[in-house]
């Protein structure tokens, strides 16, 4: 998996996401807060990239900048070779938030159909895609339930289905399993990997769990706070095919150790 | 509780019913006539005394229902026979009231009957109130001007149906409904405009606030001068009254959609109108329906009061103000009954639509 980069040259001339010296300073009532500082990063097509770090390290902000939900105050970023705004207007990504954020007045099927309605898909196409994506996340049979009739894990799966329903080739996920318990989380991690293997999407995934980051990713971006910056980028040596018990192999533990070292180097364990 | 054993309150009520029944049996029930003149009353008194047996052999809820029914028949019927109530009569009135209470208590406690019980309790409550009202006003010879008995109001209601219908048409179907639709509709549109423009928000919200603070008795004569004596001036008053609650609630409701839900729409590159229709208006619906419910009663009050300040010779407010001057209080009460029924039906209809539209809201989830 490791790609040698002679002379620091980019191995992939057209990365899906390409950030150079990205800066973002929020103006708050208590003065400016530097959320991102000099972030340089490439994410290649088909990568599963995790952003990990303590709270306040800017990992969510970075994801929001990629999604054009925040504007950087310095540096440059391109998504699919264009600006994040153009990428957003071209509907280049599906965003999965920390909470499912399903609309309670819509059934599961109609929630998944929401982006399709907005993007003007035909009725037949909508039906077809809703059925297919609900099948992908194992929610077939729950089409006519309302979100509040489902468990938290099922709601989050429905929100992933909603992000998959249209053909965005980038999936941005902001701690999507953060509010779920460990058992449900394991299960969804496994399902997410299978889904990624089937769809060949590029996934950017924010988490604060080291095992989750190592288990899922082909590339782990370690970030540290005050100001938010990238301290290490680790390319995973794990095979793409990952059963849950890979988490007990020495290789896995070795990568987890490197992540922890990266967090320590970024002073992430101080003052917490 | 198995429905047979009684709670403390129920036991106390049962004892009171029996004792008052006994008093009613032995004390004179009428000032002028003897026992034989009030067979209904005697029957009820005997039944009430008999109900004391429940402390040896439990009696079913059904028995309390029969007892309440007997009181409901006996008390008003006996008023035809006796001119003025006496001690025994009043103790039986109390017994009848308490037996109704006991019946309702046991009916709700037993939890049986489901939808029937939930319908029966308020109906029973209302009927008990009407019977007591009837018995007290006639038994104590309360002057008609102070409080006519319900039977007199009912008789007047039945005799003046054409007038009441004409008044209802004028006040409710014209002033109220048209004013309500215009007031709520325009406030809704203005709220959407305000939401798009901070300038309007700063300018229009205080003006709306000011208008809502204007006293209705001040606006009504002015509206009569502007729009004439007929219903348009009343509809205008209703517009003024309903505008502000609808505006404020809709503006608040439009701010209700969460940041995440809006960000989601943004990632879909949804336009303003798509976000409005698919996210913000549904999220605002509980607020909007709150205003629609408040306004359904405000509109009726506004239209009736506005008619006190100049109107053609028809309308509920006009009728109330003129009939009160003629001491025809039963007609006033008949109009009040029409207003109460129309107001409740209007509110109920809006509430029903609300339940259908905002079924997803936590307060409505089944």
């Amino acid at each position: 998996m490791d790609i040698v980069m002679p002379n620091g040259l980019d191995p992939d001339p057209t990365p899906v996401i390409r950030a150079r010296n990205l800066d973002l300073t929020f103006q708050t009532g208590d003065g400016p807060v530097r959320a991102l500082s000099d972030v340089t990063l490439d994410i290649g097509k088909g990568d599963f990239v995790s952003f990990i770090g303590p709270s306040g390290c800017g990992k969510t902000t970075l994801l929001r900048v990629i999604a054009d939900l925040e504007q950087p105050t310095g540096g440059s970023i391109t998504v699919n070779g264009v600006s994040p705004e153009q990428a957003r207007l071209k509907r280049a990504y599906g965003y999965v938030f920390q909470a499912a954020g399903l609309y309670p007045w819509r059934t599961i099927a109609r929630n998944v159909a929401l982006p399709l309605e907005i993007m003007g898909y035909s009725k037949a196409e909508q039906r077809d895609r809703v059925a297919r994506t609900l099948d992908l996340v194992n929610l077939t049979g729950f089409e006519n339930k309302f979100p509040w009739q489902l468990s938290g894990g099922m709601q989050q799966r429905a929100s992933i289905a909603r992000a998959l329903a249209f053909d965005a080739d980038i999936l941005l996920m902001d701690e999507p399993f953060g509010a779920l318990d460990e058992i449900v989380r394991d299960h969804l991690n496994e399902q997410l990997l299978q889904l990624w293997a089937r769809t060949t999407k590029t996934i950017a995934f924010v988490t604060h769990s080291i095992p989750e980051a190592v288990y899922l990713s082909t590339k782990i971006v370690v970030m540290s706070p005050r100001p938010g910056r990238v301290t290490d980028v680790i390319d995973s040596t794990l095979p793409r095919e990952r059963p849950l018990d890979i988490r007990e192999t020495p290789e896995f533990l070795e990568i987890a150790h490197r992540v922890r070292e990266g967090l320590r180097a970024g002073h992430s364990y101080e003052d917490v | 509780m198995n429905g047979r054993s009684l709670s403390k309150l129920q036991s106390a009520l049962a004892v009171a019913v029996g004792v008052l029944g006994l008093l009613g049996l032995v004390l004179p029930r009428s000032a002028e006539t003897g026992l034989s003149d009030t067979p209904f009353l005697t029957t009820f008194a005997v039944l009430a005394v008999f109900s004391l047996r429940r402390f040896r052999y439990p009696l079913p809820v059904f028995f309390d229902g029969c007892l309440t029914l007997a009181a409901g028949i006996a008390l008003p019927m006996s008023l035809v026979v006796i001119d003025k109530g006496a001690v025994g009569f009043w103790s039986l009135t109390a017994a009848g009231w308490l037996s109704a209470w006991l019946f309702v208590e046991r009916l709700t406690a037993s939890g049986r009957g489901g939808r029937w019980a939930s319908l029966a309790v308020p109906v029973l409550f209302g009927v008990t109130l009407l019977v007591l009202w009837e018995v007290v006003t006639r038994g104590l010879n309360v002057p008609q001007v102070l409080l006519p008995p319900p039977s007199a109001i009912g008789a007047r209601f039945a005799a003046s149906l054409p007038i009441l219908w004409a008044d209802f048409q004028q006040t409710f179907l014209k002033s109220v409904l048209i004013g309500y639709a215009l007031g709520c509709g325009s406030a809704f549109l203005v709220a959407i405009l305000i939401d798009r423009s901070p300038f309007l928000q700063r300018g229009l919200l205080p003006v709306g606030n000011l208008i809502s603070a204007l006293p209705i008795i001040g606006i009504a004569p002015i509206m009569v001068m502007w729009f004439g004596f007929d219903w348009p001036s009343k509809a205008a008053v209703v517009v003024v009254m309903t505008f502000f609650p609808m505006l404020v609630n809709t503006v608040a409701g439009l701010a209700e959609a969460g940041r995440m839900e809006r960000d989601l729409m943004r990632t879909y590159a949804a336009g303003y109108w798509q976000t409005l229709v698919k996210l913000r208006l549904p999220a605002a619906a509980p607020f909007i329906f709150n205003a629609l419910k408040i306004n359904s009663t405000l509109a009726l009050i506004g239209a009736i009061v506005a008619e006190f300040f100049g109107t053609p010779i028809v309308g509920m407010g006009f009728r109330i103000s003129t009939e009160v001057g003629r001491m025809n209080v039963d007609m006033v009460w008949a109009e009040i009954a029409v207003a109460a029924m129309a107001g409740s039906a209007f509110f109920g209809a809006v509430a029903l639509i609300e339940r259908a539209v905002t079924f997803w809201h936590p307060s409505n989830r089944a």
Side-chain angles (χ1 to χ4, degrees):
Chain A
M1 286 298 288
D2 268 329
I3 297 158
V4 190
M5 286 188 273
N7 315 325
L9 276 178
D10 206 327
D12 183 352
T14 53
V16 173
I17 295 161
R18 178 190 172 97
R20 290 291 174 272
N21 312 106
L22 214 53
D23 265 293
L24 201 161
T25 306
F26 287 115
Q27 300 299 335
T28 70
D30 304 329
V33 171
R34 207 158 175 213
L36 290 178
S37 156
D38 200 27
V39 172
T40 294
L41 188 73
D42 281 333
I43 296 176
K45 187 157 176 54
D47 269 350
F48 195 128
V49 181
S50 283
F51 299 97
I52 189 166
S55 49
C57 73
K59 52 194 192 296
T60 293
T61 309
L62 180 55
L63 206 64
R64 291 176 63 84
V65 168
I66 295 171
D68 188 39
L69 295 175
E70 304 285 355
Q71 304 307 317
T73 47
S76 67
I77 179 165
T78 60
V79 177
N80 285 341
V82 294
S83 76
E85 189 187 4
Q86 285 166 306
R88 177 172 68 81
L89 295 178
K90 282 190 203 160
R91 280 115 181 193
Y93 38 75
Y95 202 106
V96 179
F97 294 86
Q98 189 161 9
L102 301 168
Y103 293 177
W105 51 85
R106 284 175 170 252
T107 60
I108 293 300
R110 297 242 304 128
N111 263 292
V112 175
L114 175 70
L116 305 174
E117 282 174 25
I118 288 167
M119 296 170 194
Y121 286 79
S122 71
K123 286 269 173 229
E125 178 86 335
Q126 286 183 24
R127 258 198 311 279
D128 192 42
R129 280 169 179 265
V130 167
R132 206 167 52 210
T133 42
L134 281 179
D135 183 47
L136 269 182
V137 297
N138 292 334
L139 273 181
T140 304
F142 293 92
E143 290 86 352
N144 296 323
K145 293 279 182 203
F146 285 93
W148 28 276
Q149 295 169 323
L150 303 186
S151 68
M154 288 166 107
Q155 289 184 26
Q156 198 54 276
R157 264 154 47 199
S159 88
I160 293 171
R162 185 176 57 183
L164 292 172
F166 56 105
D167 288 318
D169 42 63
I170 308 170
L171 198 55
L172 304 173
M173 306 178 89
D174 183 5
E175 290 189 40
F177 310 136
L180 304 176
D181 68 64
E182 191 88 23
I183 299 164
V184 176
R185 195 176 180 147
D186 274 356
H187 187 61
L188 290 184
N189 278 342
E190 207 178 6
Q191 285 188 338
L192 180 60
L193 272 188
Q194 288 165 5
L195 206 126
W196 172 64
R198 263 182 285 174
T199 56
T200 68
K201 284 181 192 290
T202 308
I203 299 183
F205 190 94
V206 165
T207 179
H208 52 228
S209 155
I210 296 172
E212 190 171 66
V214 178
Y215 177 65
L216 292 173
S217 320
T218 57
K219 187 184 245 184
I220 301 159
V221 178
V222 184
M223 297 182 71
S224 75
R226 285 179 293 272
R229 62 193 187 279
V230 175
T231 49
D232 197 5
V233 178
I234 301 160
D235 284 301
S236 178
T237 51
L238 294 175
R240 275 180 101 104
E241 190 78 21
R242 298 173 188 181
L244 269 177
D245 51 22
I246 203 169
R247 295 181 300 182
E248 276 124 52
T249 60
E251 208 177 356
F252 184 95
L253 297 174
E254 171 62 29
I255 298 169
H257 178 74
R258 257 193 80 186
V259 173
R260 201 167 282 113
E261 284 299 311
L263 288 170
R264 188 166 289 129
H267 308 289
S268 295
Y269 290 110
E270 290 166 21
D271 317 318
V272 282
Chain B
M1 199 179 298
N2 57 22
R4 293 250 159 160
S5 62
L6 299 177
S7 71
K8 263 187 191 165
L9 173 66
Q10 290 172 352
S11 305
L13 287 171
V15 171
V17 167
V19 171
L20 288 167
L22 192 64
L23 283 176
L25 201 58
V26 291
L27 294 172
R29 287 183 292 277
S30 159
E32 276 96 41
T33 48
L35 265 173
S36 55
D37 286 317
T38 55
F40 289 110
L41 216 49
T42 318
T43 313
F44 170 61
V46 170
L47 275 174
V49 175
F50 175 79
S51 77
L52 283 172
R53 261 174 63 94
R54 73 172 84 233
F55 293 102
R56 295 276 320 250
Y57 310 101
L59 294 171
V61 181
F62 179 71
F63 176 83
D64 285 310
C66 293
L67 191 63
T68 305
L69 186 67
I73 295 171
L75 293 167
M77 290 294 276
S78 306
L79 285 168
V80 185
V81 181
I82 54 177
D83 292 328
K84 195 168 182 184
V87 185
F89 177 76
W90 293 117
S91 63
L92 284 181
T93 303
W97 168 49
L98 292 176
S99 71
W101 185 355
L102 176 62
F103 177 50
V104 170
E105 274 287 333
R106 291 189 67 187
L107 204 61
T108 41
S110 70
R112 277 178 306 161
R115 277 180 57 189
W116 266 107
S118 67
L119 191 72
V121 170
V123 167
L124 210 66
F125 191 91
V127 170
T128 308
L129 205 69
L130 284 178
V131 168
L132 279 177
W133 177 356
E134 180 80 24
V135 168
V136 168
T137 46
R138 286 175 59 189
L140 291 178
N141 276 333
V142 175
Q144 283 262 330
V145 179
L146 284 187
L147 186 64
S151 59
I153 298 169
R156 175 49 83 103
F157 192 104
S160 346
L161 277 179
I163 297 178
L164 291 172
W165 172 243
D167 290 347
F168 174 78
Q169 266 184 315
Q170 171 75 12
T171 305
F172 193 85
L173 298 185
K174 288 180 187 163
S175 312
V176 171
L177 286 187
I178 293 172
Y180 180 84
L182 286 176
C184 294
S186 57
F188 179 78
L189 294 178
V190 169
I192 287 173
L193 281 178
I194 277 185
D195 179 73
R196 284 210 87 169
S197 145
F199 166 70
L200 285 180
Q201 194 157 10
R202 288 204 198 112
L204 267 180
L205 271 185
V207 172
N209 204 337
L210 189 83
I211 291 172
S212 81
L214 296 178
I216 179 175
I217 54 167
I219 315 167
I222 293 170
M223 292 299 156
V224 169
M225 282 189 258
W226 286 1
F227 299 106
F229 278 100
D230 212 346
W231 63 267
S233 60
K234 282 73 203 168
V237 171
V238 173
V239 167
V240 171
M241 285 193 81
T242 55
F243 186 83
F244 190 67
M246 183 69 177
L247 180 72
V248 171
N249 274 284
T250 308
V251 168
L254 285 173
E256 181 64 6
R259 181 174 168 195
M260 190 180 39
E261 283 80 4
R262 286 165 200 241
D263 279 349
L264 186 72
M265 289 308 240
R266 197 174 145 83
T267 65
Y268 299 149
Y272 169 80
W273 290 106
Q274 284 176 323
T275 308
L276 186 72
V277 171
K278 292 194 190 297
L279 168 63
R280 300 180 65 210
L281 283 181
F287 286 76
I288 293 172
F289 273 101
N290 250 340
L292 289 176
K293 282 195 292 189
I294 295 168
N295 281 345
S296 71
T297 47
L298 270 186
L300 191 57
I301 296 169
I304 289 176
V305 174
E307 284 182 6
F308 281 48
F309 301 89
T311 169
I313 51 162
V314 65
M316 294 161 74
F318 162 79
R319 197 72 56 202
I320 288 173
S321 64
T322 52
E323 295 297 327
V324 107
R326 292 176 177 172
M327 294 289 202
N328 286 336
V329 182
D330 50 353
M331 189 59 187
V332 175
W333 279 94
E335 289 285 0
I336 290 174
V338 173
M341 285 188 288
S344 311
F346 193 13
F347 185 92
V350 176
L352 270 182
I353 299 170
E354 179 190 29
R355 274 185 73 94
V357 173
T358 64
F359 64 92
W360 50 270
H361 196 258
S363 61
N364 291 335
R365 284 174 197 169

